[in-house]
Amino acid sequence: MCLFLKRAERPEFEAMSVAGETAREEIDNSGLKLLYPVLLDATQPYYFVTLAQWNEILLYVYKDYPWPKYMTARMDCDDFALLFKGLVSAEFGLNYFGLAIGTCPGGAHAFNVFRIETGELVLFEPQTGMILDESDGYKANYILL
């Protein structure tokens, strides 16, 4: 039986932004390295929302899009993180949501990272829908915005 019988209501929000140069400084100050620095456009704004609004967006994406099953090397961590990044960008126009490469308790891993209203970068596990921190054993080393 399907748990979600109707489409989720699309969250409405007014995005906030920071200059591309500010985004670069925040990423540098966080200890993350840009995976492809040339892809961060310092001349354009980077859009984000509050943590509460991110929660609504992440829930919407989970309810509204069919999620594939995990398949080693065919649909695994990097694929989930890329898919989630693309959906957030395409559906909501929020580009301060990135693909993160780092580690988790099981070793190398890909997940997502996004900015909230306090300027903090938050880790997100797209395979489980959980917001993470380093106490969970996750550490991001690289980011692709």
Side-chain angles (χ1 to χ4, degrees):
M1 182 170 119
C2 179
L3 295 177
F4 307 112
L5 300 177
K6 63 177 186 166
R7 290 177 62 107
E9 187 173 325
R10 188 178 188 283
E12 296 299 324
F13 55 85
E14 189 160 330
M16 297 171 273
S17 68
V18 295
E21 288 184 14
T22 302
R24 180 183 296 273
E25 289 171 12
E26 289 175 349
I27 291 165
D28 289 344
N29 292 338
S30 75
L32 288 171
K33 292 185 173 111
L34 286 163
L35 194 55
Y36 291 101
V38 297
L39 293 181
L40 189 140
D41 191 342
T43 67
Q44 298 296 316
Y46 278 76
Y47 295 94
F48 61 96
V49 293
T50 67
L51 181 56
Q53 290 166 326
W54 277 119
N55 283 329
E56 290 179 36
I57 289 166
L58 300 176
L59 180 61
Y60 174 81
V61 171
Y62 270 113
K63 283 186 172 184
D64 217 46
Y65 291 94
W67 285 97
K69 294 189 184 313
Y70 177 89
M71 291 186 293
T72 303
R74 292 176 63 197
M75 183 61 197
D76 56 8
C77 62
D78 55 322
D79 300 303
F80 278 92
L82 280 168
L83 178 58
F84 221 105
K85 179 185 177 354
L87 289 172
V88 167
S89 177
E91 183 76 28
F92 297 100
L94 299 170
N95 58 350
Y96 212 146
F97 186 94
L99 165 76
I101 307 281
T103 57
C104 72
H109 194 52
F111 40 97
N112 296 108
V113 61
F114 57 87
R115 185 192 198 276
I116 61 173
E117 67 273 20
T118 62
E120 180 183 359
L121 298 178
V122 176
L123 305 180
F124 173 71
E125 173 54 78
Q127 293 179 79
T128 64
M130 302 296 294
I131 290 178
L132 309 161
D133 62 37
E134 291 190 12
S135 69
D136 295 313
Y138 285 74
K139 178 167 179 18
N141 297 314
Y142 298 95
I143 184 173
L144 174 65
L145 283 184

